[in-house]
Structures are given as C-alpha cells and as structure tokens.
Amino acid sequence: MHKFILILLFVLTIFSCGTDTDTGEFTVGSDYLALSNKVIMIDTVTVEMSTINFDSLATSNHGRILIGNYDDPIFGKVKSDSYFQLSASSYALNNTGSDTEAVNYVFDSISMILKYDNYYYGDTTKVQTFNIHRLTQKVKPNTNDSNFYNNSTLTYDSQSLGTISFKPRPTEKDSINIRMNDEFGSALFQKIKKREVTDFESFTEYLKGLVLVPETSNSANVIGFSVSTSKVRMYYSKYQAEADEVPFTIDFTIADATKQFNSISLDKTGTILQNLPISSSRLSSTATNNQGFIQSGTGVACRIDFPNIKQFKNISTNGAIVDAKLFLKPVNNSYSEKYPLADSLSVYVGDNLNRISATLVNSANSTVYGILNKKSDEFNENVGYTIPIGNFLQKEMLKQSDSRSSLILTLPGISQSVNRIVLGDQKHLNNKIQLKIYYISY
C-alpha cells in the first residue's frame, strides 16, 4: 500500500489532463499484469525500429587524432584520415648571443611523434600502415561555421613524407615515432635559418598542414592518438658537433584543436546497409533482417518509434504512464573482443525528419542514458541496454497535435570513435526489443 501511495503522488506531480481524444480503439491485451486494483503493466505495445544516417558529424576540436581502417563484417569498409595544422612557440634557431651563430647550425632529422590516447577499435594484433602527406590547401572550413565534419576533406600532395608499419599497443603509455623525409625537413630548416619563416603566418603559408592517411592493403584497426601531446619534432645541431652533444629541437604542435579533424568514411557497398537513405529518411528494420544499427564516426544511428502511444488515453478517463522501461538487446555474434559493446547508449528526441530536438531527460530533468547490463547467462538473454522512458511516453500520450517524436540512439563519443552495435527489433528471433509500460488510473 505504501508503494502505491508513492506512485500515486509521483503521478499527480507530472500529470495534466488533456481534452483531445484519438480515434480508434485501444486494446490492452491479455498479457498485461495487474499490480494492484489501479496499476497495470502493459508489454504488448508496438515498437518500431529503423536505421538512419546523419548528414554529417562535427569531428574537429575533440582532442583525438583518429587514424586507420578495417573491413567490418557487417557495416562495410571503415576508414579515418586525420588532418591538422601545426604551429611552434618559436620560429628561430637557438641563439646564445651572436647574430651570426645560426650559420653554424645544420639539419639532422625530422619526425612525427604520436602519443596513444588509449582508444582503439578492431584487431590490434595485425599491422597498421599509414603515410604522412603535405596539405596543398589551408586548414580552413569551407562553410560559414568554424567546424570540420566527418565528410570534410582537404587536398594534399600525393608524395608521402613518411610512412610506418607497426602493431599498435594503444593501452600502453607509449608513442610511435615516424621518421619523415629528410628533403622536406631540410627545406623547412633552411626557411627558418634564413629567416624566411619567422612567425605563424609565414609558417602556414609555407606548410599549410599535414594529413595522416592509412593504407587499405593490410590495416585492420583504427587507433586514437592525443592531439595535445602529439607533435612534429625537428632536430638540428652545431656543425661538426661533438658526438656527445645533445641536438637542439623545434617542436611543431597542434596548438589550435579546432584546426584538427578526422575524415571518417563508410563504404556500405554489398552490405545490408547499402540502401541506407538520405538523412531525412529511414530504413525500416523489416528490410534489414529485423535489426537496427548504430555506428559512431559515420553517423549511422537507430531510431525508435511508438506509433500507438496516444491511444493510451482511451484506457481511462483519468490515467497516466508512471513508468516505462525499454530494453534493447544486441544481436548475438555481432559483438566480440574486437567489436566490444559500449557501456551506455546516448538517447535523443527527434522529429519525423530525424532532426534532434533535445537530449532525453526524466521527470527531474536529468539526462537519461541506456545502461548496459553485462551479466550474461547461457544464452546471453540478459545482455542489453535499459532506458527509462516513462516521462517521454507520458508527454507523447498527452500531445494535442498529431505530431509524434521518436527516440534516436547513438553511442557516446559519436564524433571521435568508430564503435558500433547491432540491435534486434520486436520481431527478431533471438534478441527482441522489449517495452514495459506501467499505467495508473485514478
């Protein structure tokens, strides 16, 4: 009785009466459970699932260099190039007092140093190969805003300034060092030595930026590196220096994170998603083996609709949805150690054209996430994401207009990763989506 009073008080704080009624008839069905004489649990409501594709995702200013490619067995060919602009704290060689002493300095070498940031996806036991290229276009957005997107690209020289093949160790406190072309490094050194490059403006006129491009022949993973700690380092020393003398260095860093972005592409040819429509449309799960899809970086997201929710007003003259739980199950064999499940889902409210209007919140206006239950049984029936959507469905039920909102599901880090997930819909054979609605009449 005490629990019932608490539920009733909660309802009275969020419920407001509506005068509009829906045409049609709503049948609760035989599978509902009576929890008391006034509260029922309904689990026979239609839930529609589909897959959508956002037009673009802003990938600049997120602090991660994302580089690599792999052939996903479900989604297709995933690839990420990383573009960035460099700068230095000083554009002068070491000077101990004499204006002419710089003449005695000589170029030694130049390298790119990339520091792991612990992110990886795919098979890191296999070799990753990528090249460094010089940009022929300034790192400047093509549009009126200041962002770069997952589908942004800049032109670059086809000649490689440096290449590396390695097996990634992304969880170690380590970095990789790529020796760059001596001719390129020597030319830049001479520009600085001759005072032809003296500041950021003259430097970016000469070197507009760099891009890291993975080779497609043998890569099987995508790796994250830190923007703030990665750099290009030039080494130089005194002419005929002693063997034990420490060389001098100039570090060129990515000081402006807004001038670094990842161009992330997905080739869906020959996959179940190859007919994924433009961003304002959707691909029903009935056309994709009763499955919905999410992938970060490429803009693939899952949409959930509740077409009959307004008919709940026909159950009772005075009633409200006090709670509702949506349980989504990842499809068996779609995840593994190489393609792990994320700990949570991000949930947004969208319209019929897939435009996001808000983050999903509860009645206390706190952000709602889908939380992963990792406790599996023999058949993985308990592995899935639970999303509390009672507040959302209550508002949908009371809408005066005919418009309906949907839920749009993405993964955290949508703009700086390539994680993905496959979810079962209401008619999936083994991994059905489940919705339980708790309704009170009074």
Side-chain angles (χ1 to χ4, degrees):
M1 183 64 184
H2 179 65
K3 289 183 178 179
F4 176 77
I5 293 173
L6 288 176
I7 292 174
L8 183 59
L9 289 172
F10 173 70
V11 170
L12 292 176
T13 64
I14 67 171
F15 180 73
S16 61
C17 295
T19 58
D20 61 317
T21 58
D22 287 330
T23 59
E25 213 173 283
F26 177 78
T27 304
V28 174
S30 58
D31 293 334
Y32 75 86
L33 171 66
L35 302 181
S36 72
N37 60 340
K38 289 190 176 182
V39 181
I40 57 174
M41 186 275 282
I42 305 167
D43 60 3
T44 57
V45 177
T46 298
V47 180
E48 294 179 349
M49 178 180 286
S50 55
T51 302
I52 63 173
N53 200 174
F54 294 126
D55 224 10
S56 58
L57 300 172
T59 61
S60 54
N61 203 24
H62 283 285
R64 172 175 292 160
I65 296 170
L66 197 64
I67 176 72
N69 65 281
Y70 70 97
D71 292 347
D72 191 290
I74 299 173
F75 286 73
K77 298 179 184 297
V78 182
K79 181 174 180 283
S80 180
D81 304 334
S82 192
Y83 297 78
F84 47 87
Q85 181 185 79
L86 296 169
S87 64
S89 58
S90 173
Y91 300 92
L93 302 183
N94 183 62
N95 192 329
T96 58
S98 171
D99 292 337
T100 61
E101 188 174 345
V103 176
N104 295 321
Y105 289 122
V106 293
F107 169 78
D108 290 335
S109 65
I110 188 168
S111 295
M112 178 173 288
I113 303 167
L114 297 175
K115 180 75 173 178
Y116 290 115
D117 76 347
N118 299 321
Y119 176 80
Y120 64 96
Y121 206 72
D123 188 353
T124 57
T125 66
K126 294 186 177 180
V127 172
Q128 165 76 272
T129 300
F130 61 81
N131 291 276
I132 307 168
H133 293 270
R134 183 175 185 166
L135 296 182
T136 57
Q137 182 180 355
K138 283 190 175 183
V139 185
K140 183 179 180 180
N142 294 324
T143 58
N144 294 326
D145 65 29
S146 59
N147 293 317
F148 291 92
Y149 298 86
N150 63 318
N151 54 6
S152 299
T153 58
L154 298 172
T155 57
Y156 59 86
D157 194 294
S158 61
Q159 180 184 1
S160 173
L161 297 179
T163 185
I164 187 171
S165 295
F166 67 108
K167 287 186 179 180
R169 298 187 294 179
T171 59
E172 297 186 10
K173 294 181 179 179
D174 201 359
S175 59
I176 62 172
N177 189 305
I178 309 107
R179 176 71 179 261
M180 297 178 69
N181 183 281
D182 282 343
E183 184 179 350
F184 161 76
S186 179
L188 176 58
F189 173 79
Q190 291 298 326
K191 287 285 183 181
I192 295 174
K193 184 176 181 179
K194 294 177 180 179
R195 308 303 292 154
E196 294 175 7
V197 167
T198 58
D199 53 21
F200 176 72
E201 184 177 354
S202 57
F203 173 68
T204 52
E205 279 296 326
Y206 178 71
L207 179 62
K208 296 175 175 59
L210 298 174
V211 57
L212 302 176
V213 181
E215 289 189 1
T216 58
S217 57
N218 62 344
S219 296
N221 47 67
V222 175
I223 309 298
F225 299 96
S226 169
V227 166
S228 61
T229 56
S230 296
K231 65 194 73 175
V232 170
R233 175 168 287 176
M234 176 188 291
Y235 299 86
Y236 66 98
S237 59
K238 291 181 180 179
Y239 177 65
Q240 294 183 336
E242 298 294 332
D244 59 347
E245 281 194 51
V246 177
F248 300 100
T249 61
I250 297 179
D251 283 348
F252 302 94
T253 63
I254 310 171
D256 185 355
T258 67
K259 297 298 178 65
Q260 183 277 325
F261 69 95
N262 302 309
S263 180
I264 308 170
S265 62
L266 175 63
D267 182 356
K268 302 183 290 291
T269 305
T271 71
I272 198 170
L273 291 173
Q274 67 178 354
N275 295 320
L276 193 60
I278 60 174
S279 59
S280 60
S281 300
R282 53 178 170 156
L283 181 63
S284 172
S285 60
T286 59
T288 55
N289 295 338
N290 300 117
Q291 298 171 132
F293 303 84
I294 304 173
Q295 186 176 50
S296 295
T298 63
V300 177
C302 185
R303 171 173 158 168
I304 305 294
D305 287 272
F306 309 91
N308 301 322
I309 197 64
K310 293 183 74 172
Q311 294 183 27
F312 265 67
K313 287 184 291 186
N314 297 334
I315 297 177
S316 173
T317 304
N318 293 310
I321 296 171
V322 294
D323 196 10
K325 302 289 185 185
L326 188 65
F327 186 58
L328 299 115
K329 297 182 179 182
V331 171
N332 294 341
N333 302 316
S334 68
Y335 55 96
S336 63
E337 186 176 350
K338 286 195 298 183
Y339 311 116
L341 295 175
D343 290 334
S344 62
L345 297 176
S346 298
V347 189
Y348 302 93
V349 179
D351 64 10
N352 63 322
L353 297 177
N354 304 324
R355 295 172 298 195
I356 290 177
S357 59
T359 301
L360 183 67
V361 297
N362 58 21
S363 58
N365 209 35
S366 298
T367 301
V368 170
Y369 297 92
I371 305 301
L372 176 64
N373 172 33
K374 296 180 180 179
K375 296 179 180 178
S376 61
D377 56 14
E378 183 180 358
F379 302 103
N380 292 330
E381 292 182 353
N382 296 322
V383 175
Y385 298 87
T386 301
I387 309 175
I389 60 171
N391 183 58
F392 168 79
L393 292 183
Q394 169 69 6
K395 290 180 178 179
E396 286 297 296
M397 183 185 73
L398 297 178
K399 272 187 177 178
Q400 299 284 341
S401 67
D402 292 332
S403 67
R404 292 184 177 90
S405 297
S406 60
L407 296 180
I408 295 177
L409 311 178
T410 70
L411 292 170
I414 184 174
S415 295
Q416 57 180 355
S417 63
V418 291
N419 295 55
R420 47 71 150 182
I421 188 171
V422 184
L423 300 168
D425 72 2
Q426 215 167 27
K427 295 184 178 180
H428 193 274
L429 182 61
N430 299 311
N431 307 107
K432 293 180 175 64
I433 190 173
Q434 298 174 358
L435 174 62
K436 293 183 179 180
I437 298 176
Y438 297 87
Y439 182 90
I440 187 170
S441 59
Y442 51 92

